[in-house]
Amino acid sequence: MPLPSALPLPAIENLLSGGPDNLFNYLVLGALLFAAGIFAMVSRRNAVGILMGVELILNASGINFVAFARFGGHETGFHGYDGQIFALFIIVLAAAEAAVALALVLAVFQTHRTIEMDRVDELKM
Amino acid sequence: MGSLTGASGALLAARTMLATLLFWFIMILTVASAVMVVVARNILHSAFSLAVTFLGVAGLYIFLHADFLAAVQLIVYVGGIIVLVMFAIMFSAHTQEGTVEPPRSILALGAGAIVAGVVFAALAMLINRLQVPFHETTPRAQWQKLEGRLYVLQGNPHAPGAADQIKSLSAEIAALKKQEAYRTTVSAKPGEYALGHVLLGEYLLPFEVASILILAALVGAVVIVRKETR
Amino acid sequence: MGDALHQAMSTQIQVLTWAPVVILCLPLLTFLILLIGGRKMDKGADYFAIGLMGLAFLASVLLFFVNLSYGGADHAGWSSAQARPFVASFDWMQFGNVRLPMGVLVDNLSSFMAIVVTGLATLVLIYSIFYMHGDSMYRRYFGFMGFFCFAMLGIVFSSNLLMTFIFWELVGLGSYFLIGFWFHKPSVARDHHYQELKASYATGIDERYLSPAHAQKKAFVMNRIGDFGFITGVSLFLVTMLAVAKADPSTGFNAGPLDWTNLYAAKEANAFASVQFQLFRFSFTGIDLLTLAGILTFMGAIGKSAQFPLHTWLPDAMQGPTTGSSIIHAATMVAAGVYLTARIHPLLTEGSLFFVAMIGGITAFLAASMAMVQWDLKAVLAYSTISQLGYMMLGLGSGSYTAGVAHLYTHAIFKCMLFLCAGSVIHACHHLQDMNRMGGLRKKMPLTFIATCAGVLAISGVPLFSGFYSKDMILASALSSALDHGRLHWAPYILGQLTAALTTFYMCRMLFWSFFGTPRDKHVHEHCHESPAVATGPLLILAVLCLGFWWSGTLFGHTGQFAPLTLEATVLDAHGKLAAEPAGWIDAAMVSPVQREELSALAAQGEHAVHEHHHRHHTAHIWATGLSLLGVLLGAGLAWAIYGLKKLDPDELLARHPATLGLAWQLCAQLWFFDRLYQDGIVPLAKRFNRAFYVFDFGVIDQTLVDGWSVAIRIVAGAARNIDNWVVDKCVDAFGVVTWLLGAVARTLQAGRIQYYVALTFGAVAVLLLALLLI
């Protein structure tokens, strides 16, 4: 019985070959970071923990952008720096987001004396 | 031009191997610390792990020829956001649990694992289907690869047909180098210089808008945190 | 060389396009800024308005000279290029393939009219600094003047009939503003000034209704009657032109069926004769329709120019500020009717031209007779204005475009000045308008006296003054028209000739009675004084412009003829060809394109025809001039005998001939019973009609149809309510219940914790992505 084509067979071949010169490695790392971020966002009780999950997700996307900029930029007609610029803006946004989000965390703490998100459920009808 | 000395060829190979080792070390460190961020019960440990993850990402940026971005990552994330996170943790740690998070419910863990797993699976399949060349195709990467082969050929120059191969490889390498030189002159200078040009040229408007956004975020953060005085 | 010429032409085109826009916008700007500026603009309102109007005047002068050189630069004399007016327009509306443009039209007529309007407005505004000083609505006055000038210039420059109509109505609004400027003043029935002097007033006016508020209403309604005809005429023109365009699409009349240029072109190509119309069993051609359209459009002019039988509003309009009267109800707005008639002049058929001439003749005579018995200074001038407007119509109607338009210009200047003189006198005598209490003002107000004299001489048609040229031309053309056509065409001429004598009489009467002799009211005379320079300056400028040599063409002309405004000057040179050059600069402004073509057609018939034409007109001109000079002498002599020397006592004369003179006097004093007829005859009739309509509307439509309908509706509604309550509502309720149930289920998902939402969002995205990838 043949394996479904969706299984990452070529991926295994790709993985480990080339080390730093292989786009595949970066993409897999990005996916891992992304999944870890989502896991943190969903399961963490602490608001700061959720925020850290968000940061992981942003980093994952940054990695993807820069990796594609390095490996795919020349062929797609861009000059190879658009991806880096995007990553740069992501960092900027992350900084702004972190500032505001942490301020919100402190504000929540001031009102609720806790930052555990399962105790802060005012969105409930 | 043309022929490399044996020593420099060996150095190059050693350098490539070192780089590969370093790369894998950083990869593993990043993933491991990211997992630590997610699983650590003490939120402070999470924050420290996150700092390590950020460091790892910065290192990967260097591997991706994005040196400037790596510096920014270090300054903003490790130097700024982590510190902010620490502050937030310290300020909000006056509860009886301190910085240690109470154990998560099975439901939350399960839901997180399922969602994260499904997302990762989707992404992995997407990556697997990707129709882009995974290996770098810049002239530089190509001639570096060819130079490796040239080095091997030069190791035993008396093999049959080696002279012709050496000749053709050298010509190919020279052509690729020429092409690279042309590219670098066309796109001005590589690296930070070009990045700066693009950032303050083509992307000037988003750049300025981002500055306004940061200002707004700053003001917003202050307004949100400020204790109301009546 | 060609390049330089092209350059010059394109600069000219720029000026011809934009100068009218600037001239239009400056007065509008005055109005808007003074209106919006509020009290902040109270201080500088006068200088602001004068400055902008002066700029508009300068632009008009520039435009005039550019227009003269445009097309004349590379063509000698009356070229086809100059005969076609310059038009710049944009598409305003589009219905199917019919387009209605809006734009500016610059030709000799419009560019000179713009000079007259802006120039007079500037002078009047300067004068207003003196006259309106201290008025509580000082700023508003200047704003309204700006608005009026904007609308008037809009008529002047409009490139099509519809646009003319729009600005025509705006002018009516401007006039409405200024007639009722002192809307708070009570009707004269409660005015003690008036009551004191009642005995000496002409009694034809119903004093109950003589107030600014009523006067403005009256003017508006009277103009509505005329404008009804106007818009009907416009519609007829449109219908005719569309029929022409349909018959021959190559004419391109669809792109602006009401454009003046297209109308002229259609008339010139005799396109109207080729279209046929069918109404019931009558069929008629475009020419018949054109006659009707001409007469109907002329009705607008009848209303605006206060022609018989709609003339009664103009004397009442004198309730407004004298300065406003001088520019609006003497110089320009009432002349808009004449301007319109001049514009449609090429389109008028023989029948409609005779109608115009007849109306003009009757108006001129009737109004002059009414002016003879007035004692109110402004009333004399008001009736005189009506009479002179009648003259202009007479000139246009008897076929002489040049004569009518020339009189429009000369009259605008001398009548504007006469009104300003009257304003000066009225101001000096503390708002006294009754001539019976004046007298002997000559010594007290020497400058005003000089200006008035110039005006009286000009309006009487004394040689060397401006009126002489234009009025003579009118009478000459009326006489030659009578000679050409005979019979009824003699009537307008005779009326006009009689009016010449009457005009001199009433003007001299006014002059002698208020400026000569001994003061009849010592108190008034003692307190009266000459106006300051800001008032007398404009008066003297206008007085100088009343002199004939400005208008005769000798100043700038180079043919050396004495009166080039007359027809001969534009017709011939010794060889029977058309003159290659206009006789004088003013000539160029006043000869209609069509007239030129008639003349060239005549020239084409040969030397004999031209000479005969020349001869007949020359004879007519000599006779008309001679008779009108005789009339001037008679009128002036009689006035001097009665009011100067007091050799003749008018009361005694009336008493001696009750059957003739007495009756005539009574008729004039009662204003030929027109006001009475309208106020006591037509208005009650209209009210009775209204009543009948009201009864019909209320009884039949309201009570029977509408109320009956409502009863029916109520019955249907009752049934509908039951269906609604028991069927529709329950269905709606069912929807509500289902939704509530679904909501109760869905609510459990909404736990209020953001992490659920995060999980759901990402989970959903990932599942979708997976599905996409696996399928």
Side-chain angles (χ1 to χ4, degrees):
Chain A
M1 186 181 132
L3 288 163
S5 66
L7 270 185
L9 281 181
I12 292 162
E13 184 189 296
N14 266 322
L15 193 66
L16 306 175
S17 74
D21 292 334
N22 191 347
L23 172 62
F24 186 85
N25 295 336
Y26 298 98
L27 297 186
V28 170
L29 180 90
L32 279 173
L33 287 190
F34 194 82
I38 286 175
F39 183 76
M41 277 181 75
V42 174
S43 68
R44 274 280 186 197
R45 300 182 67 176
N46 193 310
V48 181
I50 294 170
L51 187 69
M52 288 191 221
V54 175
E55 299 294 347
L56 279 178
I57 288 174
L58 289 172
N59 263 276
S61 61
I63 286 262
N64 270 25
F65 272 119
V66 180
F68 279 120
R70 179 183 159 193
F71 290 98
H74 300 293
E75 279 71 29
T76 48
F78 295 100
H79 44 48
Y81 290 104
D82 298 272
Q84 292 198 23
I85 299 280
F86 261 92
L88 201 59
F89 281 119
I90 288 170
I91 293 175
V92 169
L93 290 183
E97 174 249 61
V100 174
L102 291 170
L104 281 171
V105 167
L106 289 185
V108 167
F109 183 75
Q110 279 170 12
T111 51
H112 292 79
R113 304 313 299 170
T114 181
I115 54 171
E116 281 173 28
M117 292 316 288
D118 42 3
R119 294 200 215 157
V120 182
D121 52 2
E122 261 126 35
L123 275 178
K124 194 155 66 178
M125 284 165 73
Chain B
M1 64 162 265
S3 74
L4 286 161
T5 62
S8 69
L11 195 62
L12 187 74
R15 225 199 249 161
T16 312
M17 209 163 87
L18 265 178
T20 311
L21 279 179
L22 186 63
F23 172 76
W24 285 117
F25 172 70
I26 291 177
M27 283 290 258
I28 290 162
L29 187 74
T30 312
V31 173
S33 61
V35 172
M36 271 298 287
V37 170
V38 176
V39 298
R41 279 197 61 197
N42 191 332
I43 197 79
L44 262 180
H45 295 177
S46 275
F48 280 118
S49 304
L50 189 65
V52 175
T53 311
F54 288 162
L55 278 171
V57 171
L60 289 177
Y61 281 162
I62 293 173
F63 275 113
L64 288 168
H65 304 326
D67 304 3
F68 176 71
L69 220 53
V72 172
Q73 170 90 359
L74 279 181
I75 294 167
V76 175
Y77 269 114
V78 185
I81 294 177
I82 289 296
V83 174
L84 262 179
V85 168
M86 298 275 189
F87 266 112
I89 292 167
M90 297 302 183
F91 274 125
S92 59
H94 300 301
T95 50
Q96 63 249 50
E97 298 99 349
T99 58
V100 180
E101 201 182 37
R104 284 172 265 189
S105 65
I106 300 292
L107 183 70
L109 285 172
I114 289 170
V115 173
V118 170
V119 167
F120 181 75
L123 284 176
M125 284 168 67
L126 206 58
I127 291 165
N128 197 34
R129 292 234 184 139
L130 221 50
Q131 295 295 323
V132 297
F134 283 102
H135 294 279
E136 198 172 33
T137 52
T138 54
R140 183 182 192 80
Q142 288 176 34
W143 69 248
Q144 276 177 350
K145 207 174 276 175
L146 292 180
E147 247 175 15
R149 276 168 62 193
L150 187 67
Y151 167 71
V152 175
L153 279 172
Q154 279 168 342
N156 50 349
H158 304 296
D164 288 346
Q165 279 195 6
I166 287 173
K167 207 173 178 185
S168 67
L169 270 178
S170 303
E172 215 173 318
I173 288 167
L176 283 167
K177 278 186 172 172
K178 210 172 184 179
Q179 204 180 330
E180 189 194 10
Y182 173 71
R183 251 193 208 193
T184 39
T185 49
V186 164
S187 61
K189 290 169 186 162
E192 295 70 40
Y193 184 89
L195 185 69
H197 258 272
V198 175
L199 184 61
L200 293 180
E202 199 176 325
Y203 288 93
L204 185 60
L205 183 66
F207 180 80
E208 298 294 345
V209 173
S211 70
I212 294 169
L213 177 94
I214 289 176
L215 180 67
L218 189 70
V219 175
V222 171
V223 168
I224 291 168
V225 174
R226 183 178 63 110
K227 280 216 175 78
E228 302 209 353
T229 50
R230 293 210 175 142
Chain C
M1 182 59 208
D3 250 16
L5 187 67
H6 185 258
Q7 187 72 34
M9 287 289 276
S10 76
T11 315
Q12 283 176 337
I13 286 169
Q14 293 292 325
V15 172
L16 288 172
T17 310
W18 294 109
V21 178
V22 169
I23 296 167
L24 259 179
C25 286
L26 284 172
L28 182 65
L29 203 65
T30 317
F31 170 66
L32 291 178
I33 290 182
L34 291 184
L35 200 76
I36 296 165
R39 300 217 159 269
K40 276 180 205 153
M41 294 298 296
D42 270 348
K43 261 235 168 94
D46 41 9
Y47 292 109
F48 179 70
I50 292 166
L52 288 193
M53 199 60 78
L55 280 179
F57 173 65
L58 292 180
S60 306
V61 173
L62 174 74
L63 180 67
F64 178 76
F65 284 107
V66 169
N67 174 56
L68 280 193
S69 63
Y70 176 69
D74 52 346
H75 302 281
W78 310 124
S79 62
S80 58
Q82 202 176 356
R84 289 270 167 269
F86 173 86
V87 176
S89 61
F90 64 93
D91 280 348
W92 179 41
M93 287 193 277
Q94 188 163 7
F95 314 99
N97 61 345
V98 177
R99 282 176 287 164
L100 289 181
M102 255 203 179
V104 294
L105 176 144
V106 182
D107 62 355
N108 295 335
L109 181 64
S110 67
S111 60
F112 196 76
M113 190 69 190
I115 291 193
V116 171
V117 172
T118 52
L120 286 183
T122 311
L123 290 175
V124 167
L125 285 177
I126 293 172
Y127 180 94
S128 302
I129 296 177
F130 149 75
Y131 192 77
M132 299 301 286
H133 180 73
D135 194 281
S136 61
M137 294 181 289
Y138 192 63
R139 170 175 54 87
R140 197 183 298 176
Y141 166 79
F142 284 96
F144 284 166
M145 290 293 269
F147 178 80
F148 165 75
C149 286
F150 159 68
M152 183 67 208
L153 289 164
I155 292 183
V156 170
F157 284 122
S158 73
S159 72
N160 62 58
L161 199 48
L162 189 68
M163 192 175 155
T164 306
F165 182 75
I166 292 168
F167 281 100
W168 187 266
E169 295 302 317
L170 286 179
V171 158
L173 184 64
S175 156
Y176 179 83
F177 284 156
L178 279 157
I179 296 172
F181 188 71
W182 288 318
F183 55 87
H184 47 80
K185 273 209 327 201
S187 77
V188 287
R190 274 177 281 156
D191 184 354
H192 64 276
H193 265 299
Y194 175 80
Q195 289 303 332
E196 279 172 28
L197 304 162
K198 198 174 168 184
S200 57
Y201 268 62
T203 48
I205 296 171
D206 192 335
E207 63 183 53
R208 283 170 303 166
Y209 298 110
L210 198 62
S211 71
H214 187 267
Q216 70 180 156
K217 217 157 43 186
K218 186 170 176 180
F220 213 71
V221 170
M222 283 303 204
N223 271 301
R224 281 300 69 63
I225 298 171
D227 292 349
F228 166 71
F230 188 1
I231 191 71
T232 317
V234 171
S235 314
L236 276 184
F237 272 123
L238 185 63
V239 166
T240 320
M241 283 298 276
L242 288 181
V244 170
K246 200 176 169 189
D248 182 7
S250 68
T251 52
F253 291 155
N254 270 336
L258 289 175
D259 277 17
W260 291 118
T261 44
N262 283 345
L263 287 168
Y264 296 162
K267 179 78 192 305
E268 209 173 303
N270 207 16
F272 293 116
S274 61
V275 286
Q276 287 279 338
F277 290 93
Q278 189 81 33
L279 189 71
F280 305 120
R281 274 183 297 148
F282 306 102
S283 80
F284 41 87
T285 64
I287 294 288
D288 303 320
L289 213 55
L290 201 64
T291 307
L292 188 60
I295 290 174
L296 283 171
T297 311
F298 178 66
M299 262 182 78
I302 290 179
K304 194 68 73 191
S305 288
Q307 299 294 292
F308 165 82
L310 299 179
H311 60 272
T312 57
W313 66 268
L314 187 57
D316 285 21
M318 296 302 141
Q319 296 289 318
T322 309
T323 45
S325 304
S326 77
I327 184 87
I328 297 180
H329 305 117
T332 56
M333 186 196 82
V334 287
V338 182
Y339 185 84
L340 176 71
T341 315
R343 271 267 172 259
I344 60 169
H345 192 260
L347 303 171
L348 295 178
T349 57
E350 206 168 297
S352 35
L353 274 178
F354 178 65
F355 181 78
V356 172
M358 207 58 211
I359 291 285
I362 292 171
T363 311
F365 180 75
L366 281 187
S369 71
M370 293 173 198
M372 292 204 315
V373 297
Q374 299 295 324
W375 291 112
D376 182 332
L377 199 54
K378 277 177 83 176
V380 174
L381 291 175
Y383 284 106
S384 146
T385 302
I386 300 176
S387 165
Q388 297 298 312
L389 291 167
Y391 255 129
M392 295 172 209
M393 294 302 186
L394 173 57
L396 289 169
S398 53
S400 177
Y401 175 92
T402 317
V405 174
H407 199 56
L408 163 60
Y409 296 145
T410 54
H411 169 263
I413 287 173
F414 63 65
K415 186 51 66 67
C416 179
M417 185 196 67
L418 281 170
F419 263 102
L420 294 185
C421 289
S424 174
V425 169
I426 290 166
H427 195 272
C429 298
H430 302 283
H431 298 285
L432 187 72
Q433 302 193 5
D434 185 16
M435 290 197 291
N436 280 326
R437 286 175 70 178
M438 294 173 188
L441 295 176
R442 181 166 44 115
K443 302 250 169 55
K444 284 275 193 171
M445 310 178 72
L447 294 175
T448 307
F449 170 68
I450 289 170
T452 313
C453 275
V456 169
L457 291 171
I459 197 174
S460 306
V462 174
L464 298 181
F465 286 87
S466 61
F468 172 71
Y469 299 100
S470 47
K471 203 180 206 173
D472 264 7
M473 237 191 318
I474 289 172
L475 290 175
S477 65
L479 180 53
S480 62
S481 164
L483 286 169
D484 282 355
H485 302 99
R487 287 174 169 270
L488 273 174
H489 284 262
W490 281 97
Y493 166 68
I494 292 169
L495 287 171
Q497 197 73 70
L498 283 176
T499 309
L502 295 187
T503 307
T504 317
F505 175 76
Y506 68 71
M507 286 315 288
C508 289
R509 166 176 175 268
M510 183 200 86
L511 185 70
F512 297 150
W513 203 236
S514 43
F515 282 96
F516 285 85
T518 50
R520 283 177 291 280
D521 189 327
K522 282 270 186 281
H523 178 73
V524 168
H525 189 256
E526 271 165 26
H527 284 82
C528 136
H529 53 84
E530 180 60 289
S531 303
V534 69
T536 51
L539 282 184
L540 292 179
I541 292 173
L542 289 171
V544 170
L545 287 177
C546 285
L547 293 178
F549 68 93
W550 301 99
W551 305 93
S552 64
T554 47
L555 190 62
F556 294 97
H558 40 76
T559 54
Q561 297 189 20
F562 176 62
L565 279 187
T566 52
L567 282 172
E568 292 92 319
T570 59
V571 179
L572 301 165
D573 62 7
H575 304 291
K577 292 190 303 186
L578 285 174
E581 290 285 325
W585 61 280
I586 207 76
D587 249 14
M590 293 183 189
V591 179
S592 96
V594 171
Q595 199 174 333
R596 268 177 230 141
E597 271 150 33
E598 280 171 8
L599 299 177
S600 59
L602 196 64
Q605 286 174 14
E607 210 168 311
H608 179 69
V610 171
H611 274 292
E612 196 188 333
H613 184 86
H614 184 187
H615 181 72
R616 196 164 64 234
H617 281 275
H618 198 70
T619 316
H621 191 227
I622 288 176
W623 274 98
T625 311
L627 283 173
S628 73
L629 281 179
L630 191 67
V632 167
L633 284 180
L634 276 176
L638 191 63
W640 181 242
I642 296 175
Y643 299 104
L645 297 174
K646 297 186 183 151
K647 290 276 187 208
L648 288 172
D649 186 3
D651 295 335
E652 193 192 317
L653 275 176
L654 290 178
R656 206 184 303 158
H657 304 286
T660 49
L661 280 180
L663 196 67
W665 187 87
Q666 200 59 33
L667 209 54
C668 296
Q670 293 294 336
L671 306 174
W672 295 72
F673 294 101
F674 276 110
D675 285 68
R676 277 285 150 82
L677 175 68
Y678 293 159
Q679 199 64 55
D680 300 335
I682 292 181
V683 170
L685 204 65
K687 279 184 177 165
R688 206 160 299 162
F689 263 113
N690 277 356
R691 178 73 203 169
F693 283 133
Y694 166 75
V695 167
F696 177 77
D697 189 50
F698 187 73
V700 178
I701 295 181
D702 255 27
Q703 288 196 324
T704 312
L705 291 179
V706 176
D707 290 359
W709 182 242
S710 91
V711 169
I713 290 288
R714 220 176 298 155
I715 292 165
V716 173
R721 183 184 53 192
N722 286 332
I723 293 172
D724 199 45
N725 275 349
W726 296 108
V727 182
V728 179
D729 260 21
K730 291 298 166 198
C731 284
V732 173
D733 286 356
F735 271 110
V737 169
V738 170
T739 310
W740 185 81
L741 284 173
L742 283 176
V745 175
R747 191 167 48 178
T748 55
L749 293 174
Q750 305 281 325
R753 285 175 54 186
I754 52 169
Q755 279 161 304
Y756 279 131
Y757 303 145
V758 171
L760 279 176
T761 311
F762 279 106
V765 170
V767 165
L768 281 178
L769 198 59
L770 269 179
L772 221 73
L773 288 169
L774 287 173
I775 293 164

